[in-house]
Amino acid sequence: MLKTRVIPTLLWKRPGLVKGIGFDSWRRVGTVLPAIKVYNMRDVDELILVDINAYSEGIEPDYEEIAEFTQESFVPMTVGGGVTEVDHFKKLLRVGADKVALNSVIYDKPQLISEAANRFGKQCVVASVDYTKNSSGIYQCCSHSGSKLKDHHPVEWAKELEALGAGEILLTSVDKDGTMEGYDYDLTKQVTEAVSIPVIASGGAGSYEHMAKVVNDSGAAAVAAASIFHFTEQTPLKAKEHMAQQGIPVRLLK
Amino acid sequence: MIIDYGMGNLTSVQRALEEAGAACFISDLPHDIKEASSIVLPGVGAFKEGMANLRSSGMADAILEAAKDNVPILGICLGMQLLATNGDEGGGESGLNLIPGTIREMKAQPGERIPHIGWNEINQCGEHPMYEGIKDLTDFYFVHSFHFDNTGDHTVTKTPYAGGFSSSVAHGNIWGTQFHPEKSSKAGLKLLENFINIPFTV
């Protein structure tokens, strides 16, 4: 049976890792390489590494540095940030990314999803959707690390991205991000029901119960989390043990 | 030797093989294959482009030559699919035809999602040196939307998804895994070690 993945998210803001609240108030939480080594030692299911400034600064992914990170990872890594051309995509795969996440760029260049899917297969194209709920209760996507609001509705946008050839949706609630109050169960459910590709729920995990709930109630294929692993004693393995007790298939170490 | 045909996560494969104890190099030159005691064909991408790259570089012929000489070959993910007779992706294309079978798109069963992404178990169809020291039902990492459809003769393991599919295949010294051993943590490294230890006989 396919296992539900628990995925630590590493937000990379040179020179190190950060974690914020609502995509803001970034706190330094160490450096990338030791984090990757520790997560590998703990045999996590997968890692997500996002260069949160590359796109806004208009720079390409730092392939050399990323190669150093991926070389220490014997579990899959999704890498995002700064990709604007299909050629960047190819270079990232070459230096060891297993999947590539696209976010801000696809609002202006949605065809990048199709181009990458045609060349590399949809399975390595992760469409990342950040969204917020405005004061009138309307959902809106946002780009540039949450700083620019878009007219796109996350559910409609996710459907469009699937049609373009995305293989997976990384769905992040900016409002929940860093709060550790729980995922956005309702919107996550709407997205998982609207698309047939896997959805990774992200933003808000503060307890193992949140993770189990977004899988059982909202249909997420995987859960991503950062603060809970940076700022508490909770671990991906314990999360999975809890999820297993809730009847969720997970990969436990034998 | 790890074959570079422009489609792979080459450095991950190299790093994992080294970790498993191999001395290896990456090359896009067909004549380098003659120097290799074993060959790894990695791959992330689409079948058609993969085959086109192998043919235009002369790699396809070099691989077939090596197979005749009984050089161990390991195909990973797309690399495994290219070992098949043909692929359905993008209107149909013939493969290396080293292991009989066709690459077909996976069909989701109720409650499943395609692509098949994540850790899933292998069910061993019998004993095979590929899984020496690896327990049945061990999880490996998959990320794909097509699968190797064969008559079952060369299936080493099956995985229960999309109705069940061949997650690894073998024909003599030619091995293929649909999952990524280089990203399957300890079990994956063990499988690579088993591959390195295939006795090389000319």
Side-chain angles (χ1 to χ4, degrees):
Chain A
M1 195 172 221
L2 183 63
K3 313 302 184 293
T4 300
R5 291 162 284 157
V6 174
I7 310 175
T9 308
L10 304 172
L11 300 176
W12 180 28
K13 188 169 188 254
R14 263 168 290 257
L17 290 174
V18 295
K19 183 58 205 157
I21 297 173
F23 283 28
D24 206 348
S25 345
W26 303 109
R27 279 168 67 182
R28 293 261 164 221
V29 291
T31 47
V32 184
L33 208 51
I36 287 177
K37 284 182 181 170
V38 166
Y39 282 131
N40 264 269
M41 217 151 59
R42 293 184 176 170
D43 208 353
V44 294
D45 294 331
E46 188 174 325
L47 290 168
I48 296 174
L49 173 73
V50 181
D51 181 336
I52 59 171
N53 282 21
Y55 187 76
S56 301
E57 290 172 0
I59 53 172
E60 263 188 62
D62 186 340
Y63 307 108
E64 252 176 62
E65 191 115 23
I66 290 165
E68 282 183 24
F69 302 152
T70 57
Q71 291 222 345
E72 291 305 323
S73 187
F74 301 106
V75 299
M77 277 183 71
T78 296
V79 181
V83 175
T84 56
E85 308 283 342
V86 78
D87 188 49
H88 302 166
F89 211 100
K90 180 179 174 176
K91 287 182 188 161
L92 276 180
L93 293 177
R94 204 181 163 87
V95 298
D98 298 279
K99 296 183 282 181
V100 173
L102 302 172
N103 191 335
S104 304
V105 64
I106 45 183
Y107 294 98
D108 299 324
K109 253 175 111 171
Q111 73 278 12
L112 185 56
I113 297 261
S114 324
E115 282 172 35
N118 286 335
R119 277 195 64 186
F120 310 110
K122 58 157 58 177
Q123 82 290 335
C124 61
V125 184
V126 180
S128 171
V129 175
D130 295 337
Y131 68 93
T132 180
K133 197 177 187 176
N134 69 19
S135 47
S136 337
I138 311 283
Y139 287 106
Q140 276 184 289
C141 291
C142 36
S143 69
H144 294 76
S145 221
S147 64
K148 290 193 182 168
L149 281 177
K150 298 284 173 185
D151 293 332
H152 307 64
H153 187 283
V155 176
E156 297 309 315
W157 186 226
K159 277 161 65 175
E160 220 171 298
L161 294 169
E162 177 182 29
L164 284 164
E168 202 170 26
I169 303 280
L170 170 60
L171 183 69
T172 306
S173 162
V174 176
D175 306 326
K176 301 282 183 184
D177 173 73
T179 62
M180 295 202 268
E181 290 169 354
Y183 292 93
D184 183 344
Y185 304 106
D186 180 42
L187 195 280
T188 304
K189 185 170 188 205
Q190 290 180 43
V191 173
T192 62
E193 285 176 350
V195 300
S196 63
I197 54 178
V199 176
I200 306 170
S202 165
S207 73
Y208 304 145
E209 190 46 39
H210 294 152
M211 296 181 182
K213 188 171 159 65
V214 82
V215 173
N216 279 337
D217 295 0
S218 310
V223 294
S227 298
I228 181 174
F229 301 137
H230 288 310
F231 304 130
T232 79
E233 296 296 309
Q234 301 176 90
T235 66
L237 180 60
K238 294 270 181 219
K240 288 194 282 183
E241 284 170 357
H242 177 86
M243 289 160 79
Q245 286 163 12
Q246 309 288 312
I248 298 169
V250 289
R251 173 176 159 261
L252 293 172
L253 309 179
K254 288 167 191 132
Chain B
M1 168 177 158
I2 301 162
I3 296 181
D4 178 4
Y5 60 114
M7 305 292 286
N9 51 343
L10 299 166
T11 47
S12 303
V13 174
Q14 182 177 33
R15 182 75 179 84
L17 281 165
E18 285 169 358
E19 192 74 15
C24 56
F25 64 103
I26 296 173
S27 173
D28 59 359
L29 302 172
H31 66 78
D32 279 348
I33 286 188
K34 293 194 176 70
E35 311 295 318
S37 57
S38 58
I39 299 169
V40 176
L41 186 60
V44 173
F47 192 93
K48 212 165 192 160
E49 187 173 355
M51 259 335 278
N53 290 359
L54 281 183
R55 287 205 184 95
S56 64
S57 62
M59 265 312 174
D61 288 337
I63 294 169
L64 294 177
E65 245 349 271
K68 266 190 216 156
D69 292 339
N70 214 22
V71 175
I73 300 174
L74 172 65
I76 298 172
C77 198
L78 174 66
M80 170 232 207
Q81 299 185 351
L82 296 174
L83 301 174
T85 315
N86 43 52
D88 269 0
E89 196 171 356
E93 174 71 45
S94 53
L96 292 167
N97 197 23
L98 288 171
I99 301 182
T102 298
I103 305 309
R104 297 188 202 283
E105 190 159 14
M106 300 177 86
K107 301 242 178 331
Q109 307 284 304
E112 293 181 347
R113 289 168 189 267
I114 306 286
H116 177 222
I117 300 179
W119 297 79
N120 208 337
E121 71 243 26
I122 45 112
N123 301 321
Q124 296 176 4
C125 302
E127 277 192 20
H128 194 279
M130 198 186 292
Y131 291 95
E132 169 138 14
I134 299 171
K135 281 188 202 149
D136 199 16
L137 302 179
T138 296
D139 289 319
F140 285 87
Y141 187 79
F142 292 84
V143 49
H144 62 120
S145 0
F146 285 78
H147 74 107
F148 200 120
D149 185 11
N150 59 358
T151 53
D153 295 352
H154 301 288
T155 299
V156 178
T157 60
K158 295 198 78 149
T159 289
Y161 204 76
F165 68 94
S166 297
S167 44
S168 55
V169 292
H171 185 17
N173 277 356
I174 302 169
W175 293 7
T177 65
Q178 181 57 67
F179 52 81
H180 287 271
E182 77 281 12
K183 291 291 176 176
S184 293
S185 201
K186 293 177 189 97
L189 293 176
K190 177 65 184 143
L191 189 147
L192 292 176
E193 192 188 317
N194 292 342
F195 173 70
I196 298 161
N197 291 333
I198 297 183
F200 175 49
T201 48
V202 178

